[in-house]
């Protein structure tokens, strides 16, 4: 067991834009079908923001809901950590825009980048701040406007992604939703499998990068698919061992929603029934670091876990990165 104070999730919130983009809508725009997308990914529709909406706009709505659920006012927040691959701009951080819009005038603010694993990474940082006693209240946000970095003519990626935001409030333990352990991993040798090549210091934005579409997501789907299964399985086994548990002792697996076939293959390798994995990819697609807090909010609202149940959050994404977090509900 880790030392220090206990860190608990005292409030959860999420926000999804209203506009729905269905598989049938996509099949009118490109050479694809509802049948192919549903069968190969489990996705039926995803939410998309209107023009002019930024990631911080979604994040603020999710954060207000999480703060309300925790009965915490914005001025009580000590730190805001936002995980996103679609920041409002390269700098300042999206967390600073959220801080201003919330009126969280006593909070520090920074963004954290671990792609689709980012929420689990950010939760791990929040837990450490709270468990050490350095902070009392940390707001952890996973928010994405994936539609803004998606190349819609590219049928192999554009069918996957959606927009949305989720947030949690982490405070000293109140006996509910305790963050028991976190495990993080990475493999930068496979960075090129999932990346936006242009717009940073390596390949600054230029007319050429825009013309070649290098400012959009590039995904080597099959290789990422294999790595996702290997590493999600591994980090669940590690978490079980660290908690003197068997993997079957987890009451629910709350995975990053990237592809239903990845989730089902991981469950099969672990010898767990697929019904133990929470799934909502059919409604929202892959919302990157927002997917786990959105799932947690649906689980909380639906009372799908009861006090004392043990859940494991598990994520995988670009970097490559992966991580898990065991939560005693
Ligand atoms: O968030 C974390 C990171 N992301 C992921 O974890 C994503 C991981 N990868 C995947 O989910 C899958 O690899 C994809 C869904 C992206 C692709 O599925 P796949 O089963 O690996 O398909 P594929 O790329 O091997 O393509 C199979 C066929 C190809 O046609 P041919 O060469 O066999 O004739 C593709 O051109 O399917 C074709 N195809 C499509 N057909 C209809 C690819 N995309 C589409 C499409 N509609 N949208």
């Amino acid at each position: 067991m880790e030392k220090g104070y206990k860190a608990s999730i005292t409030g959860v919130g999420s926000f999804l834009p209203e506009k729905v983009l269905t598989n049938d809508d996509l099949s009118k725009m490109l050479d694809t079908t509802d049948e192919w997308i549903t069968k190969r990914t489990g996705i039926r529709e995803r939410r998309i923001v209107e023009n002019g909406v930024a990631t911080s706009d979604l994040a603020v709505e999710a954060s207000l809901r999480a703060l309300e659920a925790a009965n915490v006012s914005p001025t009580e927040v000590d730190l805001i950590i936002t995980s996103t691959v679609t920041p409002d701009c390269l700098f300042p951080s999206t967390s600073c825009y959220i801080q201003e819009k919330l009126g969280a005038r006593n909070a520090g603010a920074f963004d954290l980048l671990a792609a689709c694993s980012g929420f689990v990474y950010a939760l791990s940082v929040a837990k450490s701040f709270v468990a050490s006693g350095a902070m009392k209240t940390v707001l952890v946000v996973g928010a994405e406007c994936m539609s803004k970095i998606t190349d819609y003519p590219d049928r192999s990626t554009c069918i996957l992604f959606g927009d949305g935001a989720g947030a949690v409030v982490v405070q000293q333990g109140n006996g509910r939703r305790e963050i028991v352990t976190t495990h993080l991993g990475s493999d930068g040798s496979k960075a090129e499998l999932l990346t936006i090549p242009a717009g940073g210091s390596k390949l600054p934005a230029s007319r050429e990068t825009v013309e070649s579409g290098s400012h959009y997501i590039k995904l080597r789907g099959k290789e990422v698919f294999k790595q996702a299964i290997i590493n999600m399985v591994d980090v669940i086994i590690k978490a079980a061992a660290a908690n003197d548990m068997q993997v079957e002792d987890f009451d629910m697996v709350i995975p990053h929603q990237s592809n239903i076939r990845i989730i089902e293959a991981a469950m099969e390798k672990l010898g767990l029934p697929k019904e133990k994995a929470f799934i909502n990819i059919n409604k929202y697609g892959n919302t990157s670091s927002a997917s786990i807090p959105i799932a947690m909010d649906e689980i909380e609202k639906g009372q799908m876990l009861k006090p004392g149940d043990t859940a494991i959050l598990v994520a995988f994404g670009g970097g490559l990165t992966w991580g898990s977090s065991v939560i005693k509900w």
Side-chain angles (χ1 to χ4, degrees), residues 31-33 36-37 40-41 116 155-156 159-161 194 219 221-222 224-225 228 256 258-259 261-262 286 316-318:
D31 181 18
T32 190
T33 60
W36 191 96
I37 302 170
R40 306 302 290 170
T41 70
C116 300
R155 69 175 184 172
S156 66
I159 51 136
L160 296 171
F161 298 105
L194 180 48
L219 164 72
K222 271 207 182 319
V224 172
F225 191 101
H256 165 51
S258 55
N259 185 324
R261 290 189 294 133
I262 291 177
N286 179 346
F316 177 85

mmCIF file of all heavy atoms in Angstrom, residues 31-33 36-37 40-41 116 155-156 159-161 194 219 221-222 224-225 228 256 258-259 261-262 286 316-318, ligand 1:
data_model
loop_
_atom_site.group_PDB
_atom_site.id
_atom_site.type_symbol
_atom_site.label_atom_id
_atom_site.label_comp_id
_atom_site.label_asym_id
_atom_site.label_seq_id
_atom_site.Cartn_x
_atom_site.Cartn_y
_atom_site.Cartn_z
ATOM 1 N N ASP A 31 -16.142 6.761 -48.599
ATOM 2 C CA ASP A 31 -16.380 5.370 -48.995
ATOM 3 C C ASP A 31 -16.316 4.460 -47.760
ATOM 4 O O ASP A 31 -15.294 3.832 -47.473
ATOM 5 C CB ASP A 31 -15.303 4.987 -50.025
ATOM 6 C CG ASP A 31 -15.490 3.565 -50.514
ATOM 7 O OD1 ASP A 31 -16.608 3.020 -50.327
ATOM 8 O OD2 ASP A 31 -14.524 3.002 -51.062
ATOM 9 N N THR A 32 -17.418 4.434 -47.015
ATOM 10 C CA THR A 32 -17.501 3.553 -45.850
ATOM 11 C C THR A 32 -18.973 3.177 -45.641
ATOM 12 O O THR A 32 -19.844 3.689 -46.343
ATOM 13 C CB THR A 32 -16.909 4.225 -44.591
ATOM 14 O OG1 THR A 32 -16.805 3.255 -43.556
ATOM 15 C CG2 THR A 32 -17.754 5.396 -44.105
ATOM 16 N N THR A 33 -19.203 2.275 -44.670
ATOM 17 C CA THR A 33 -20.588 1.868 -44.385
ATOM 18 C C THR A 33 -20.791 1.766 -42.880
ATOM 19 O O THR A 33 -19.836 1.531 -42.129
ATOM 20 C CB THR A 33 -20.893 0.474 -44.987
ATOM 21 O OG1 THR A 33 -19.974 -0.460 -44.400
ATOM 22 C CG2 THR A 33 -20.792 0.460 -46.494
ATOM 23 N N TRP A 36 -19.496 -1.671 -41.731
ATOM 24 C CA TRP A 36 -18.046 -1.822 -41.542
ATOM 25 C C TRP A 36 -17.634 -1.169 -40.214
ATOM 26 O O TRP A 36 -16.931 -1.778 -39.408
ATOM 27 C CB TRP A 36 -17.263 -1.182 -42.699
ATOM 28 C CG TRP A 36 -15.789 -1.556 -42.675
ATOM 29 C CD1 TRP A 36 -15.201 -2.565 -43.375
ATOM 30 C CD2 TRP A 36 -14.746 -0.937 -41.897
ATOM 31 N NE1 TRP A 36 -13.862 -2.621 -43.077
ATOM 32 C CE2 TRP A 36 -13.545 -1.633 -42.172
ATOM 33 C CE3 TRP A 36 -14.685 0.110 -40.987
ATOM 34 C CZ2 TRP A 36 -12.316 -1.313 -41.591
ATOM 35 C CZ3 TRP A 36 -13.467 0.440 -40.397
ATOM 36 C CH2 TRP A 36 -12.301 -0.261 -40.696
ATOM 37 N N ILE A 37 -18.110 0.050 -39.992
ATOM 38 C CA ILE A 37 -17.660 0.779 -38.798
ATOM 39 C C ILE A 37 -18.137 0.060 -37.532
ATOM 40 O O ILE A 37 -17.361 -0.131 -36.581
ATOM 41 C CB ILE A 37 -18.165 2.251 -38.816
ATOM 42 C CG1 ILE A 37 -17.687 2.984 -40.073
ATOM 43 C CG2 ILE A 37 -17.686 2.988 -37.567
ATOM 44 C CD1 ILE A 37 -18.318 4.352 -40.292
ATOM 45 N N ARG A 40 -16.161 -3.329 -37.139
ATOM 46 C CA ARG A 40 -14.711 -3.229 -36.895
ATOM 47 C C ARG A 40 -14.363 -2.409 -35.661
ATOM 48 O O ARG A 40 -13.247 -2.465 -35.174
ATOM 49 C CB ARG A 40 -13.985 -2.615 -38.113
ATOM 50 C CG ARG A 40 -14.226 -3.279 -39.431
ATOM 51 C CD ARG A 40 -13.859 -4.726 -39.434
ATOM 52 N NE ARG A 40 -12.428 -4.999 -39.350
ATOM 53 C CZ ARG A 40 -11.911 -6.215 -39.138
ATOM 54 N NH1 ARG A 40 -12.702 -7.251 -38.972
ATOM 55 N NH2 ARG A 40 -10.604 -6.376 -39.096
ATOM 56 N N THR A 41 -15.328 -1.577 -35.173
ATOM 57 C CA THR A 41 -14.966 -0.685 -34.052
ATOM 58 C C THR A 41 -15.982 -0.673 -32.900
ATOM 59 O O THR A 41 -15.645 -0.265 -31.792
ATOM 60 C CB THR A 41 -14.844 0.787 -34.523
ATOM 61 O OG1 THR A 41 -16.148 1.279 -34.850
ATOM 62 C CG2 THR A 41 -13.916 0.926 -35.712
ATOM 63 N N CYS A 116 -4.262 9.419 -25.195
ATOM 64 C CA CYS A 116 -5.489 8.784 -24.675
ATOM 65 C C CYS A 116 -5.310 8.265 -23.243
ATOM 66 O O CYS A 116 -6.304 7.985 -22.569
ATOM 67 C CB CYS A 116 -5.922 7.639 -25.577
ATOM 68 S SG CYS A 116 -6.270 8.166 -27.253
ATOM 69 N N ARG A 155 -10.676 7.705 -44.307
ATOM 70 C CA ARG A 155 -11.688 6.824 -43.702
ATOM 71 C C ARG A 155 -11.129 5.903 -42.627
ATOM 72 O O ARG A 155 -11.875 5.374 -41.811
ATOM 73 C CB ARG A 155 -12.388 5.998 -44.780
ATOM 74 C CG ARG A 155 -11.495 4.952 -45.436
ATOM 75 C CD ARG A 155 -12.279 4.102 -46.407
ATOM 76 N NE ARG A 155 -11.426 3.053 -46.957
ATOM 77 C CZ ARG A 155 -11.848 2.073 -47.713
ATOM 78 N NH1 ARG A 155 -13.129 2.013 -48.057
ATOM 79 N NH2 ARG A 155 -11.021 1.161 -48.163
ATOM 80 N N SER A 156 -9.792 5.689 -42.629
ATOM 81 C CA SER A 156 -9.246 4.764 -41.639
ATOM 82 C C SER A 156 -9.128 5.408 -40.252
ATOM 83 O O SER A 156 -8.959 4.711 -39.257
ATOM 84 C CB SER A 156 -7.883 4.227 -42.090
ATOM 85 O OG SER A 156 -6.946 5.271 -42.122
ATOM 86 N N ILE A 159 -13.484 7.827 -38.803
ATOM 87 C CA ILE A 159 -14.645 7.122 -38.245
ATOM 88 C C ILE A 159 -14.511 6.899 -36.741
ATOM 89 O O ILE A 159 -15.483 6.594 -36.060
ATOM 90 C CB ILE A 159 -14.812 5.754 -38.945
ATOM 91 C CG1 ILE A 159 -13.461 5.002 -38.901
ATOM 92 C CG2 ILE A 159 -15.254 5.943 -40.384
ATOM 93 C CD1 ILE A 159 -13.566 3.605 -38.548
ATOM 94 N N LEU A 160 -13.273 7.058 -36.233
ATOM 95 C CA LEU A 160 -13.012 6.644 -34.843
ATOM 96 C C LEU A 160 -13.357 7.707 -33.808
ATOM 97 O O LEU A 160 -13.799 7.377 -32.711
ATOM 98 C CB LEU A 160 -11.517 6.310 -34.667
ATOM 99 C CG LEU A 160 -10.970 5.122 -35.455
ATOM 100 C CD1 LEU A 160 -9.445 5.078 -35.338
ATOM 101 C CD2 LEU A 160 -11.573 3.821 -34.926
ATOM 102 N N PHE A 161 -13.123 8.990 -34.140
ATOM 103 C CA PHE A 161 -13.009 9.986 -33.081
ATOM 104 C C PHE A 161 -14.253 10.836 -32.857
ATOM 105 O O PHE A 161 -15.017 11.098 -33.782
ATOM 106 C CB PHE A 161 -11.797 10.885 -33.352
ATOM 107 C CG PHE A 161 -10.508 10.118 -33.353
ATOM 108 C CD1 PHE A 161 -9.864 9.819 -34.539
ATOM 109 C CD2 PHE A 161 -9.965 9.658 -32.163
ATOM 110 C CE1 PHE A 161 -8.677 9.082 -34.547
ATOM 111 C CE2 PHE A 161 -8.789 8.928 -32.160
ATOM 112 C CZ PHE A 161 -8.142 8.638 -33.346
ATOM 113 N N LEU A 194 1.333 6.698 -33.791
ATOM 114 C CA LEU A 194 0.135 7.524 -33.549
ATOM 115 C C LEU A 194 0.607 8.925 -33.202
ATOM 116 O O LEU A 194 1.154 9.150 -32.114
ATOM 117 C CB LEU A 194 -0.665 6.895 -32.384
ATOM 118 C CG LEU A 194 -1.969 7.576 -31.949
ATOM 119 C CD1 LEU A 194 -2.862 7.907 -33.122
ATOM 120 C CD2 LEU A 194 -2.715 6.676 -30.970
ATOM 121 N N LEU A 219 -2.402 7.560 -37.899
ATOM 122 C CA LEU A 219 -2.537 6.358 -37.066
ATOM 123 C C LEU A 219 -2.180 5.127 -37.864
ATOM 124 O O LEU A 219 -2.724 4.928 -38.959
ATOM 125 C CB LEU A 219 -3.996 6.256 -36.580
ATOM 126 C CG LEU A 219 -4.463 4.912 -36.015
ATOM 127 C CD1 LEU A 219 -3.840 4.656 -34.648
ATOM 128 C CD2 LEU A 219 -5.989 4.887 -35.890
ATOM 129 N N GLY A 221 -3.084 1.871 -37.597
ATOM 130 C CA GLY A 221 -4.132 1.210 -36.816
ATOM 131 C C GLY A 221 -3.812 -0.189 -36.351
ATOM 132 O O GLY A 221 -3.968 -0.515 -35.175
ATOM 133 N N LYS A 222 -3.341 -1.045 -37.263
ATOM 134 C CA LYS A 222 -3.148 -2.453 -36.907
ATOM 135 C C LYS A 222 -2.090 -2.615 -35.821
ATOM 136 O O LYS A 222 -2.242 -3.411 -34.891
ATOM 137 C CB LYS A 222 -2.711 -3.238 -38.149
ATOM 138 C CG LYS A 222 -3.875 -3.782 -38.943
ATOM 139 C CD LYS A 222 -3.466 -5.026 -39.704
ATOM 140 C CE LYS A 222 -4.615 -5.564 -40.540
ATOM 141 N NZ LYS A 222 -5.913 -5.545 -39.906
ATOM 142 N N VAL A 224 -1.041 -0.281 -33.642
ATOM 143 C CA VAL A 224 -1.532 0.296 -32.383
ATOM 144 C C VAL A 224 -2.509 -0.672 -31.714
ATOM 145 O O VAL A 224 -2.485 -0.865 -30.492
ATOM 146 C CB VAL A 224 -2.204 1.669 -32.637
ATOM 147 C CG1 VAL A 224 -2.894 2.184 -31.386
ATOM 148 C CG2 VAL A 224 -1.168 2.678 -33.116
ATOM 149 N N PHE A 225 -3.339 -1.284 -32.511
ATOM 150 C CA PHE A 225 -4.326 -2.260 -32.033
ATOM 151 C C PHE A 225 -3.628 -3.349 -31.208
ATOM 152 O O PHE A 225 -4.029 -3.648 -30.072
ATOM 153 C CB PHE A 225 -5.017 -2.862 -33.268
ATOM 154 C CG PHE A 225 -6.233 -3.679 -32.996
ATOM 155 C CD1 PHE A 225 -7.494 -3.148 -33.187
ATOM 156 C CD2 PHE A 225 -6.134 -4.996 -32.581
ATOM 157 C CE1 PHE A 225 -8.634 -3.899 -32.957
ATOM 158 C CE2 PHE A 225 -7.269 -5.758 -32.346
ATOM 159 C CZ PHE A 225 -8.522 -5.213 -32.537
ATOM 160 N N ALA A 228 -2.035 -2.011 -27.974
ATOM 161 C CA ALA A 228 -3.057 -1.646 -26.978
ATOM 162 C C ALA A 228 -3.439 -2.868 -26.147
ATOM 163 O O ALA A 228 -3.490 -2.800 -24.913
ATOM 164 C CB ALA A 228 -4.283 -1.059 -27.673
ATOM 165 N N HIS A 256 -10.366 2.793 -21.537
ATOM 166 C CA HIS A 256 -10.423 3.826 -22.574
ATOM 167 C C HIS A 256 -11.168 3.230 -23.765
ATOM 168 O O HIS A 256 -10.934 2.089 -24.157
ATOM 169 C CB HIS A 256 -9.008 4.236 -22.971
ATOM 170 C CG HIS A 256 -8.956 4.995 -24.249
ATOM 171 N ND1 HIS A 256 -9.760 6.094 -24.488
ATOM 172 C CD2 HIS A 256 -8.240 4.809 -25.394
ATOM 173 C CE1 HIS A 256 -9.520 6.549 -25.698
ATOM 174 N NE2 HIS A 256 -8.607 5.784 -26.272
ATOM 175 N N SER A 258 -11.461 2.845 -27.222
ATOM 176 C CA SER A 258 -10.769 3.074 -28.503
ATOM 177 C C SER A 258 -11.335 2.194 -29.606
ATOM 178 O O SER A 258 -11.429 2.620 -30.755
ATOM 179 C CB SER A 258 -9.279 2.834 -28.366
ATOM 180 O OG SER A 258 -9.043 1.550 -27.847
ATOM 181 N N ASN A 259 -11.684 0.961 -29.274
ATOM 182 C CA ASN A 259 -12.237 0.027 -30.259
ATOM 183 C C ASN A 259 -12.798 -1.146 -29.451
ATOM 184 O O ASN A 259 -12.083 -1.710 -28.605
ATOM 185 C CB ASN A 259 -11.128 -0.446 -31.212
ATOM 186 C CG ASN A 259 -11.671 -1.320 -32.330
ATOM 187 O OD1 ASN A 259 -12.598 -2.107 -32.137
ATOM 188 N ND2 ASN A 259 -11.103 -1.174 -33.510
ATOM 189 N N ARG A 261 -13.240 -4.092 -30.199
ATOM 190 C CA ARG A 261 -12.493 -5.347 -30.397
ATOM 191 C C ARG A 261 -11.235 -5.372 -29.542
ATOM 192 O O ARG A 261 -10.806 -6.434 -29.091
ATOM 193 C CB ARG A 261 -12.154 -5.528 -31.879
ATOM 194 C CG ARG A 261 -13.390 -5.824 -32.746
ATOM 195 C CD ARG A 261 -12.975 -6.216 -34.151
ATOM 196 N NE ARG A 261 -12.358 -5.117 -34.846
ATOM 197 C CZ ARG A 261 -11.214 -5.188 -35.538
ATOM 198 N NH1 ARG A 261 -10.559 -6.317 -35.635
ATOM 199 N NH2 ARG A 261 -10.727 -4.124 -36.134
ATOM 200 N N ILE A 262 -10.631 -4.198 -29.297
ATOM 201 C CA ILE A 262 -9.454 -4.138 -28.409
ATOM 202 C C ILE A 262 -9.885 -4.513 -26.997
ATOM 203 O O ILE A 262 -9.247 -5.316 -26.319
ATOM 204 C CB ILE A 262 -8.834 -2.716 -28.423
ATOM 205 C CG1 ILE A 262 -8.203 -2.421 -29.775
ATOM 206 C CG2 ILE A 262 -7.820 -2.553 -27.284
ATOM 207 C CD1 ILE A 262 -7.635 -1.007 -29.918
ATOM 208 N N ASN A 286 -14.172 7.339 -29.997
ATOM 209 C CA ASN A 286 -12.963 7.505 -29.187
ATOM 210 C C ASN A 286 -12.792 9.000 -28.873
ATOM 211 O O ASN A 286 -12.474 9.783 -29.768
ATOM 212 C CB ASN A 286 -11.770 6.953 -29.971
ATOM 213 C CG ASN A 286 -10.450 7.099 -29.229
ATOM 214 O OD1 ASN A 286 -10.354 7.821 -28.247
ATOM 215 N ND2 ASN A 286 -9.430 6.417 -29.723
ATOM 216 N N PHE A 316 -4.814 3.409 -22.858
ATOM 217 C CA PHE A 316 -3.700 3.190 -23.771
ATOM 218 C C PHE A 316 -3.761 4.256 -24.854
ATOM 219 O O PHE A 316 -4.853 4.616 -25.297
ATOM 220 C CB PHE A 316 -3.820 1.801 -24.431
ATOM 221 C CG PHE A 316 -2.738 1.572 -25.429
ATOM 222 C CD1 PHE A 316 -1.509 1.086 -25.008
ATOM 223 C CD2 PHE A 316 -2.922 1.892 -26.758
ATOM 224 C CE1 PHE A 316 -0.480 0.914 -25.923
ATOM 225 C CE2 PHE A 316 -1.894 1.725 -27.675
ATOM 226 C CZ PHE A 316 -0.676 1.228 -27.262
ATOM 227 N N GLY A 317 -2.607 4.763 -25.286
ATOM 228 C CA GLY A 317 -2.663 5.770 -26.348
ATOM 229 C C GLY A 317 -1.314 6.125 -26.924
ATOM 230 O O GLY A 317 -0.301 5.463 -26.670
ATOM 231 N N GLY A 318 -1.301 7.197 -27.702
ATOM 232 C CA GLY A 318 -0.094 7.667 -28.381
ATOM 233 C C GLY A 318 1.024 7.923 -27.385
ATOM 234 O O GLY A 318 0.806 8.247 -26.229
HETATM 235 O O1 LIG B 1 -7.077 5.627 -28.702
HETATM 236 C C1 LIG B 1 -5.967 4.765 -28.726
HETATM 237 C C2 LIG B 1 -5.397 4.566 -30.039
HETATM 238 N N1 LIG B 1 -6.234 4.138 -31.133
HETATM 239 C C3 LIG B 1 -6.557 2.863 -31.314
HETATM 240 O O2 LIG B 1 -6.421 2.063 -30.442
HETATM 241 C C4 LIG B 1 -7.014 2.435 -32.695
HETATM 242 C C5 LIG B 1 -6.475 1.057 -32.991
HETATM 243 N N2 LIG B 1 -6.772 0.541 -34.332
HETATM 244 C C6 LIG B 1 -8.028 0.246 -34.727
HETATM 245 O O3 LIG B 1 -9.000 0.445 -34.036
HETATM 246 C C7 LIG B 1 -8.174 -0.433 -36.087
HETATM 247 O O4 LIG B 1 -6.917 -0.765 -36.597
HETATM 248 C C8 LIG B 1 -8.959 0.430 -37.125
HETATM 249 C C9 LIG B 1 -10.406 0.532 -36.733
HETATM 250 C C10 LIG B 1 -8.339 1.804 -37.238
HETATM 251 C C11 LIG B 1 -8.906 -0.251 -38.500
HETATM 252 O O5 LIG B 1 -9.437 -1.574 -38.407
HETATM 253 P P1 LIG B 1 -8.650 -2.811 -39.009
HETATM 254 O O6 LIG B 1 -9.461 -3.997 -38.749
HETATM 255 O O7 LIG B 1 -7.250 -2.786 -38.468
HETATM 256 O O8 LIG B 1 -8.712 -2.508 -40.537
HETATM 257 P P2 LIG B 1 -7.507 -2.288 -41.592
HETATM 258 O O9 LIG B 1 -6.872 -0.961 -41.391
HETATM 259 O O10 LIG B 1 -6.615 -3.494 -41.613
HETATM 260 O O11 LIG B 1 -8.300 -2.283 -42.939
HETATM 261 C C12 LIG B 1 -8.982 -3.462 -43.446
HETATM 262 C C13 LIG B 1 -9.679 -3.079 -44.736
HETATM 263 C C14 LIG B 1 -8.770 -2.370 -45.726
HETATM 264 O O12 LIG B 1 -9.163 -2.732 -47.031
HETATM 265 P P3 LIG B 1 -8.329 -3.867 -47.844
HETATM 266 O O13 LIG B 1 -6.917 -3.352 -47.928
HETATM 267 O O14 LIG B 1 -8.456 -5.105 -47.030
HETATM 268 O O15 LIG B 1 -9.049 -3.917 -49.164
HETATM 269 C C15 LIG B 1 -9.102 -0.914 -45.539
HETATM 270 O O16 LIG B 1 -8.871 -0.114 -46.680
HETATM 271 O O17 LIG B 1 -10.748 -2.173 -44.451
HETATM 272 C C16 LIG B 1 -10.593 -0.989 -45.245
HETATM 273 N N3 LIG B 1 -11.082 0.137 -44.454
HETATM 274 C C17 LIG B 1 -12.371 0.540 -44.496
HETATM 275 N N4 LIG B 1 -13.424 0.087 -45.173
HETATM 276 C C18 LIG B 1 -14.603 0.710 -44.989
HETATM 277 C C19 LIG B 1 -10.396 0.919 -43.563
HETATM 278 N N5 LIG B 1 -11.230 1.833 -43.042
HETATM 279 C C20 LIG B 1 -12.445 1.623 -43.593
HETATM 280 C C21 LIG B 1 -13.703 2.234 -43.445
HETATM 281 N N6 LIG B 1 -14.737 1.749 -44.163
HETATM 282 N N7 LIG B 1 -13.897 3.275 -42.614
#
